[in-house]
Amino acid sequence: MLKWDYTLYLVTDRSYIGDRNLEDCVEEAILGGATMVQLREKTASSLDFYHLAVKIKGVTRKYQVPLMINDRLDIALAIDADGLHLGQDDLPIEIARRYFGREKVIGISVSTVEEALLAEKSGADYLGAGAVFPTGTKTDAKLVSLPELSLIKKAVKIPVVAIGGINETNACDVFHTGIDGLSVVSAILARKDPRKASAEIKARITG
Amino acid sequence: MLKWDYTLYLVTDRSYIGDRNLEDCVEEAILGGATMVQLREKTASSLDFYHLAVKIKGVTRKYQVPLMINDRLDIALAIDADGLHLGQDDLPIEIARRYFGREKVIGISVSTVEEALLAEKSGADYLGAGAVFPTGTKTDAKLVSLPELSLIKKAVKIPVVAIGGINETNACDVFHTGIDGLSVVSAILARKDPRKASAEIKARITG
């Protein structure tokens, strides 16, 4: 039985892992405390994305952690992912929902209260709000201050996770805005020991 | 009623059209004699690809010319395209077929007789064989000689279109291998007058 827990939501980016294998890094992150995984591939071919998604699903299934696919409805359908995460430049949620089904989870990236309200109204199951700090993963991301993050959380009923430059140093401050979880990329994947990195962030917010 | 005619199959690439608008170029190409259109976008966001596909579908519908989407099953589903064209690095056809439906057309890119036989066996409705000449559109494409093209055509029962560096000068030679049509990118879209360019190629192969 899949455990839906947004507390520590790993978003992948293979540019941080060097010659390590993504499945191993994801498994280590889960063992350290990651509660959700989003597979994000911006340059892979569709076939490579699909094959990688099949492998990562093998890992997330083992631990009953939900696997979300970033952007690509086709890949989410192909591997029967648990969910799909849509940015503001991805397919409209109404279209994704038509093919992906009511029982699946769809998240939307937002950076304002307005976008958050619109996303909730259009049927999003959760929101990814950010970037809370400048980030190397998405250099063009709009910034969302901690007070704005708190306003976004208060404006909607669905879960809100924060994303963008979150690491063990700022995790506690971000989490205490009242949100449901933290999305982390480099502060887990760029570290030599993703398990330890996950455990450290997890301890700061649940300890 | 949609006319399925592979004779002159335009494949788009916005890098060739400068500041012109793709809808206009596609419309001109159809007026000049293009019988099919494949929308190919390798760098656009999913949302931009979707919006562009909606616009191009408006044009192809007007002339009852089939619209194929390159690579992306999600975009093909989103706009209810007439077909999907899959490269060797795209999703496996079995998966695309599961979601895209039996009545839709799925084409596969091949560059050997072996790939052609496999694609036909896996349910492809037509094949795109190439590159018959070196091409600026796909610099890493494997080359297929005209005798090989002829062998591919003879090996399968489904329609075969040739692609890769085809222009008004070589169109006649390529077409006379016995294939069903020519896929053209730059020799239509990079020209100042896409209608005239299409008409010239069409005249060489049907005249």
Side-chain angles (χ1 to χ4, degrees):
Chain A
M1 184 64 187
L2 221 50
K3 291 168 276 191
W4 286 92
D5 172 356
Y6 290 92
T7 312
L8 184 56
Y9 183 159
L10 174 71
V11 177
T12 70
D13 183 334
R14 281 194 287 168
S15 69
Y16 289 115
I17 64 170
D19 56 5
R20 294 175 294 171
N21 165 321
L22 189 63
E23 300 102 276
D24 294 343
C25 293
V26 167
E27 181 157 23
E28 288 297 309
I30 292 171
L31 289 170
T35 56
M36 305 252 302
V37 175
Q38 178 185 136
L39 182 61
R40 180 172 171 178
E41 286 291 319
K42 287 299 185 191
T43 55
S45 72
S46 295
L47 187 62
D48 286 345
F49 196 168
Y50 166 66
H51 284 150
L52 186 63
V54 168
K55 283 185 203 160
I56 300 297
K57 194 181 168 188
V59 178
T60 57
R61 270 295 163 278
K62 184 171 163 191
Y63 299 97
Q64 295 297 317
V65 160
L67 175 60
M68 312 289 296
I69 298 294
N70 180 279
D71 177 9
R72 297 285 298 268
L73 168 66
D74 49 355
I75 307 295
L77 286 170
I79 67 145
D80 189 26
D82 305 306
L84 175 65
H85 187 90
L86 299 171
Q88 295 284 329
D89 291 332
D90 300 340
L91 277 180
I93 183 171
E94 295 79 6
I95 288 171
R97 188 68 83 184
R98 191 182 310 155
Y99 297 98
F100 199 39
R102 296 272 142 210
E103 77 288 355
K104 296 289 191 181
V105 166
I106 302 183
I108 295 189
S109 299
V110 300
S111 34
T112 63
V113 168
E114 234 174 6
E115 284 177 356
L117 289 170
L118 190 65
E120 182 180 47
K121 201 177 155 192
S122 65
D125 296 295
Y126 77 91
L127 305 177
V132 287
F133 302 105
T135 156
T137 309
K138 237 185 153 177
T139 48
D140 60 342
K142 277 180 275 181
L143 291 186
V144 175
S145 69
L146 296 190
E148 285 171 311
L149 184 60
S150 183
L151 288 176
I152 288 173
K153 171 62 191 166
K154 283 178 190 138
V156 298
K157 292 191 184 70
I158 53 179
V160 175
V161 298
I163 189 163
I166 297 170
N167 57 38
E168 62 286 3
T169 311
N170 58 36
C172 190
D173 288 342
V174 179
F175 198 69
H176 286 145
T177 58
I179 54 163
D180 303 275
L182 304 180
S183 276
V184 179
V185 191
S186 66
I188 293 176
L189 291 180
R191 302 298 160 86
K192 219 179 12 192
D193 186 343
R195 188 194 299 215
K196 194 172 149 222
S198 294
E200 271 176 19
I201 299 172
K202 192 78 174 279
R204 304 282 175 116
I205 55 181
T206 59
Chain B
M1 186 62 186
L2 221 51
K3 291 167 278 191
W4 286 93
D5 172 356
Y6 291 92
T7 312
L8 184 55
Y9 183 157
L10 174 70
V11 177
T12 70
D13 184 333
R14 282 195 286 170
S15 69
Y16 289 115
I17 65 171
D19 56 5
R20 293 175 295 170
N21 162 323
L22 190 64
E23 298 101 277
D24 295 343
C25 294
V26 167
E27 181 157 22
E28 287 299 309
I30 292 172
L31 289 170
T35 56
M36 305 252 302
V37 176
Q38 179 185 133
L39 183 60
R40 180 171 170 178
E41 287 291 319
K42 286 298 186 192
T43 56
S45 71
S46 295
L47 187 62
D48 288 344
F49 196 168
Y50 166 67
H51 284 151
L52 186 63
V54 168
K55 283 184 202 160
I56 300 297
K57 193 181 168 188
V59 178
T60 57
R61 270 296 162 278
K62 185 170 161 191
Y63 299 98
Q64 294 297 316
V65 160
L67 174 60
M68 312 290 296
I69 297 294
N70 179 279
D71 177 7
R72 297 285 298 267
L73 168 66
D74 49 354
I75 306 296
L77 287 170
I79 68 145
D80 189 27
D82 305 306
L84 175 65
H85 187 89
L86 299 172
Q88 295 283 329
D89 291 331
D90 300 339
L91 276 180
I93 183 170
E94 296 78 6
I95 288 172
R97 188 66 83 184
R98 192 182 310 155
Y99 297 98
F100 200 38
R102 295 272 143 211
E103 75 289 354
K104 297 289 191 182
V105 167
I106 303 183
I108 295 189
S109 299
V110 300
S111 35
T112 63
V113 168
E114 234 176 5
E115 284 178 355
L117 289 169
L118 190 64
E120 182 181 49
K121 200 177 156 193
S122 64
D125 296 295
Y126 77 91
L127 303 178
V132 286
F133 302 105
T135 157
T137 309
K138 238 186 154 177
T139 48
D140 60 341
K142 275 180 277 181
L143 291 185
V144 176
S145 69
L146 296 190
E148 284 171 312
L149 184 59
S150 184
L151 288 177
I152 289 173
K153 171 62 192 167
K154 283 180 190 133
V156 298
K157 293 191 184 70
I158 54 179
V160 175
V161 298
I163 189 163
I166 297 170
N167 56 38
E168 62 285 4
T169 310
N170 58 37
C172 190
D173 289 341
V174 179
F175 198 69
H176 285 145
T177 57
I179 54 163
D180 303 274
L182 303 181
S183 277
V184 178
V185 191
S186 66
I188 293 176
L189 291 180
R191 302 299 160 85
K192 217 177 16 190
D193 187 341
R195 187 194 301 215
K196 195 173 148 220
S198 293
E200 273 176 20
I201 298 172
K202 193 78 174 279
R204 305 283 175 113
I205 56 180
T206 60

XYZ file of all heavy atoms in Angstrom, chain A residues 39-87:
385
model
N 10.560 11.994 -10.822
C 11.585 11.806 -11.849
C 11.465 12.933 -12.867
O 10.437 13.100 -13.512
C 11.394 10.442 -12.521
C 12.428 10.075 -13.594
C 13.836 10.012 -13.012
C 12.074 8.732 -14.235
N 12.542 13.677 -12.974
C 12.562 14.853 -13.841
C 13.723 14.720 -14.812
O 14.874 14.614 -14.409
C 12.772 16.065 -12.933
C 12.815 17.387 -13.612
C 12.826 18.415 -12.511
N 13.067 19.747 -12.928
C 13.066 20.790 -12.106
N 12.832 20.599 -10.812
N 13.284 21.987 -12.544
N 13.379 14.702 -16.110
C 14.378 14.528 -17.164
C 14.083 15.549 -18.228
O 13.025 15.505 -18.854
C 14.250 13.116 -17.764
C 14.763 12.021 -16.873
C 16.272 12.061 -16.722
O 16.980 12.299 -17.714
O 16.743 11.854 -15.592
N 14.970 16.479 -18.445
C 14.676 17.528 -19.403
C 15.384 17.341 -20.743
O 15.045 18.006 -21.711
C 14.988 18.906 -18.807
C 13.958 19.348 -17.744
C 12.530 19.459 -18.311
C 11.506 19.996 -17.327
N 10.105 19.845 -17.841
N 16.347 16.431 -20.820
C 17.070 16.304 -22.084
C 17.093 14.866 -22.632
O 17.470 14.652 -23.767
C 18.535 16.787 -21.944
O 19.131 16.064 -20.869
C 18.601 18.267 -21.625
N 16.658 13.901 -21.843
C 16.694 12.499 -22.290
C 15.729 12.288 -23.448
O 14.723 12.974 -23.564
C 16.307 11.584 -21.140
N 16.021 11.300 -24.301
C 15.057 10.896 -25.331
C 13.867 10.269 -24.615
O 13.965 9.854 -23.459
C 15.698 9.882 -26.272
O 15.860 8.635 -25.614
N 12.747 10.179 -25.339
C 11.553 9.571 -24.741
C 11.834 8.133 -24.328
O 11.381 7.675 -23.277
C 10.391 9.626 -25.726
O 10.029 10.966 -25.965
N 12.607 7.428 -25.154
C 12.902 6.022 -24.843
C 13.767 5.904 -23.590
O 13.500 5.077 -22.720
C 13.593 5.355 -26.040
C 13.800 3.846 -25.928
C 12.468 3.107 -25.820
C 14.601 3.303 -27.108
N 14.790 6.774 -23.477
C 15.647 6.736 -22.285
C 14.847 7.118 -21.032
O 15.016 6.527 -19.964
C 16.829 7.699 -22.443
C 17.869 7.164 -23.411
O 17.824 5.969 -23.731
O 18.722 7.963 -23.856
N 14.002 8.136 -21.165
C 13.169 8.572 -20.032
C 12.295 7.391 -19.586
O 12.184 7.072 -18.390
C 12.310 9.764 -20.475
C 11.675 10.570 -19.368
C 11.097 11.812 -19.660
C 11.630 10.131 -18.055
C 10.495 12.584 -18.674
C 11.028 10.909 -17.053
C 10.453 12.121 -17.367
N 11.690 6.719 -20.555
C 10.819 5.579 -20.251
C 11.591 4.454 -19.536
O 11.162 3.961 -18.491
C 10.192 5.073 -21.558
C 9.550 3.723 -21.456
C 8.419 3.524 -20.669
C 10.082 2.624 -22.136
C 7.825 2.275 -20.575
C 9.487 1.377 -22.053
C 8.366 1.201 -21.266
O 7.792 -0.028 -21.162
N 12.744 4.093 -20.088
C 13.520 3.008 -19.472
C 13.970 3.374 -18.060
O 13.924 2.555 -17.148
C 14.738 2.660 -20.342
C 14.374 1.861 -21.545
N 15.081 1.914 -22.730
C 13.362 0.984 -21.778
C 14.526 1.107 -23.614
N 13.476 0.545 -23.064
N 14.380 4.629 -17.890
C 14.808 5.085 -16.564
C 13.623 5.068 -15.597
O 13.753 4.646 -14.437
C 15.390 6.506 -16.686
C 16.013 7.074 -15.429
C 17.222 6.251 -14.986
C 16.442 8.529 -15.652
N 12.463 5.490 -16.081
C 11.267 5.521 -15.233
C 10.871 4.123 -14.770
O 10.469 3.928 -13.619
C 10.113 6.194 -15.979
N 11.029 3.137 -15.656
C 10.730 1.751 -15.279
C 11.662 1.313 -14.133
O 11.228 0.717 -13.147
C 10.893 0.799 -16.500
C 10.874 -0.665 -16.071
C 9.793 1.065 -17.533
N 12.938 1.669 -14.278
C 13.918 1.296 -13.234
C 13.598 1.985 -11.904
O 13.648 1.361 -10.844
C 15.331 1.709 -13.673
C 15.936 0.777 -14.710
C 17.385 1.188 -14.982
C 17.840 0.707 -16.337
N 19.002 1.448 -16.837
N 13.318 3.283 -11.966
C 13.056 4.023 -10.725
C 11.761 3.525 -10.079
O 11.657 3.444 -8.850
C 12.996 5.548 -10.996
C 14.325 6.051 -11.574
C 12.637 6.315 -9.720
C 15.520 5.898 -10.659
N 10.797 3.130 -10.897
C 9.556 2.592 -10.329
C 9.838 1.303 -9.552
O 9.215 1.039 -8.527
C 8.517 2.342 -11.436
C 7.117 2.112 -10.869
C 6.084 1.841 -11.948
C 4.786 1.340 -11.326
N 3.827 0.877 -12.359
N 10.803 0.526 -10.037
C 11.192 -0.679 -9.311
C 11.664 -0.341 -7.895
O 11.333 -1.039 -6.930
N 12.393 0.751 -7.770
C 12.914 1.180 -6.462
C 11.785 1.729 -5.581
O 11.625 1.340 -4.418
C 14.006 2.262 -6.625
C 14.500 2.736 -5.268
C 15.150 1.747 -7.487
N 10.977 2.625 -6.136
C 9.938 3.261 -5.301
C 8.897 2.226 -4.852
O 8.420 2.284 -3.720
C 9.249 4.431 -6.043
O 8.689 3.972 -7.275
C 10.241 5.554 -6.305
N 8.566 1.272 -5.729
C 7.620 0.202 -5.372
C 8.113 -0.619 -4.180
O 7.348 -0.979 -3.289
C 7.433 -0.747 -6.560
C 6.348 -0.395 -7.504
C 4.996 -0.484 -6.822
N 3.990 0.231 -7.589
C 3.795 1.537 -7.539
N 4.512 2.318 -6.754
N 2.832 2.100 -8.243
N 9.415 -0.880 -4.206
C 10.021 -1.686 -3.140
C 9.752 -1.073 -1.762
O 9.585 -1.785 -0.785
C 11.532 -1.751 -3.424
C 12.350 -2.618 -2.510
C 13.771 -2.754 -3.070
C 14.765 -3.242 -2.036
N 16.153 -3.122 -2.525
N 9.721 0.273 -1.714
C 9.542 0.959 -0.430
C 8.145 1.578 -0.300
O 7.889 2.306 0.651
C 10.623 2.031 -0.260
C 12.011 1.421 -0.254
C 12.788 1.391 -1.409
C 12.509 0.835 0.910
C 14.039 0.802 -1.415
C 13.763 0.243 0.917
C 14.522 0.230 -0.250
O 15.758 -0.360 -0.236
N 7.281 1.324 -1.274
C 5.911 1.864 -1.257
C 5.890 3.385 -1.175
O 5.035 3.998 -0.508
C 5.086 1.240 -0.120
C 4.857 -0.253 -0.315
C 4.036 -0.552 -1.592
O 3.063 0.125 -1.882
N 4.476 -1.532 -2.374
N 6.874 3.982 -1.867
C 6.974 5.440 -1.944
C 6.375 5.871 -3.295
O 6.675 5.249 -4.322
C 8.471 5.834 -1.839
C 8.741 7.221 -2.369
C 8.953 5.680 -0.399
N 5.531 6.892 -3.321
C 4.934 7.305 -4.603
C 5.977 7.832 -5.587
O 6.906 8.551 -5.202
C 3.969 8.436 -4.212
C 3.708 8.239 -2.751
C 4.990 7.669 -2.189
N 5.797 7.479 -6.870
C 6.659 7.988 -7.939
C 5.850 8.919 -8.846
O 4.843 8.515 -9.427
C 7.226 6.834 -8.781
C 8.048 7.269 -10.014
C 9.256 8.113 -9.615
C 8.488 6.051 -10.824
N 6.319 10.154 -8.936
C 5.714 11.155 -9.803
C 6.611 11.346 -11.020
O 7.832 11.251 -10.924
C 5.629 12.502 -9.079
C 5.065 12.449 -7.675
S 3.300 12.106 -7.636
C 2.670 13.567 -8.451
N 6.007 11.628 -12.172
C 6.769 11.959 -13.380
C 6.629 13.450 -13.638
O 5.534 14.000 -13.566
C 6.260 11.156 -14.605
C 6.450 9.649 -14.381
C 6.954 11.609 -15.895
C 7.898 9.171 -14.306
N 7.745 14.106 -13.906
C 7.727 15.533 -14.198
C 7.348 15.784 -15.653
O 7.938 15.186 -16.570
C 9.126 16.119 -13.917
C 9.189 17.604 -14.206
O 9.343 18.025 -15.349
N 9.037 18.411 -13.185
N 6.368 16.647 -15.849
C 6.007 17.166 -17.182
C 5.314 16.183 -18.118
O 4.251 16.498 -18.667
C 7.262 17.775 -17.847
C 7.039 18.297 -19.285
O 5.893 18.349 -19.737
O 8.027 18.652 -19.937
N 5.878 15.006 -18.341
C 5.502 14.124 -19.444
C 4.376 13.143 -19.125
O 4.603 12.047 -18.596
C 6.745 13.388 -19.918
C 7.831 14.311 -20.475
C 7.464 14.817 -21.837
N 7.356 13.709 -22.740
C 8.355 13.236 -23.495
N 9.535 13.815 -23.466
N 8.165 12.207 -24.292
N 3.171 13.525 -19.535
C 2.005 12.649 -19.422
C 2.239 11.304 -20.101
O 1.810 10.259 -19.599
C 0.791 13.356 -20.049
C -0.455 12.516 -20.280
C -1.081 12.067 -18.974
C -1.473 13.302 -21.111
N 2.917 11.324 -21.263
C 3.119 10.058 -21.987
C 3.967 9.071 -21.189
O 3.665 7.875 -21.130
C 3.677 10.283 -23.407
C 4.885 11.218 -23.462
O 5.262 11.795 -22.412
O 5.452 11.372 -24.565
N 5.004 9.583 -20.533
C 5.862 8.701 -19.730
C 5.093 8.227 -18.489
O 5.185 7.054 -18.096
C 7.168 9.423 -19.309
C 7.900 10.018 -20.527
C 8.070 8.488 -18.507
C 8.413 9.018 -21.527
N 4.315 9.127 -17.893
C 3.509 8.759 -16.720
C 2.522 7.647 -17.085
O 2.342 6.680 -16.333
C 2.773 9.980 -16.174
N 1.892 7.754 -18.252
C 0.984 6.707 -18.729
C 1.762 5.418 -18.986
O 1.340 4.335 -18.561
C 0.317 7.141 -20.039
C -0.772 8.211 -19.969
C -1.151 8.683 -21.367
C -2.001 7.698 -19.221
N 2.887 5.560 -19.674
C 3.661 4.391 -20.099
C 4.083 3.507 -18.934
O 4.091 2.285 -19.049
C 4.886 4.821 -20.903
N 4.435 4.120 -17.797
C 4.901 3.301 -16.661
C 3.841 3.199 -15.571
O 4.100 2.676 -14.494
C 6.212 3.842 -16.050
C 5.978 5.203 -15.370
C 7.324 3.933 -17.079
C 6.833 5.382 -14.124
N 2.642 3.706 -15.831
C 1.582 3.714 -14.818
C 2.124 4.313 -13.515
O 2.084 3.684 -12.449
C 1.050 2.284 -14.605
C -0.188 2.263 -13.723
O -0.916 3.273 -13.676
O -0.413 1.235 -13.046
N 2.644 5.529 -13.648
C 3.196 6.232 -12.476
C 2.083 6.551 -11.489
O 0.902 6.528 -11.831
C 3.877 7.521 -12.932
N 2.481 6.873 -10.261
C 1.483 7.231 -9.246
C 0.970 8.641 -9.451
O -0.127 8.977 -9.017
C 2.117 7.094 -7.859
C 2.693 5.702 -7.676
O 1.938 4.730 -7.867
O 3.906 5.577 -7.403
N 1.783 9.459 -10.103
C 1.358 10.833 -10.306
C 2.178 11.534 -11.358
O 3.141 10.993 -11.903
N 1.747 12.755 -11.643
C 2.358 13.592 -12.677
C 2.517 14.978 -12.071
O 1.594 15.486 -11.425
C 1.395 13.635 -13.868
C 1.730 14.526 -15.059
C 2.992 14.039 -15.766
C 0.557 14.525 -16.064
N 3.700 15.571 -12.276
C 3.891 16.935 -11.798
C 4.003 17.879 -12.982
O 4.876 17.715 -13.832
C 5.127 17.042 -10.903
C 5.197 18.402 -10.297
N 4.605 18.716 -9.097
C 5.703 19.564 -10.782
C 4.750 20.004 -8.862
N 5.419 20.545 -9.865
N 3.139 18.873 -13.024
C 3.095 19.802 -14.150
C 3.597 21.186 -13.764
O 3.136 21.765 -12.770
C 1.652 19.934 -14.650
C 1.001 18.650 -15.172
C -0.485 18.873 -15.430
C 1.696 18.173 -16.444
N 4.525 21.724 -14.543
C 4.955 23.106 -14.370
C 4.006 24.026 -15.116
O 3.095 23.567 -15.819
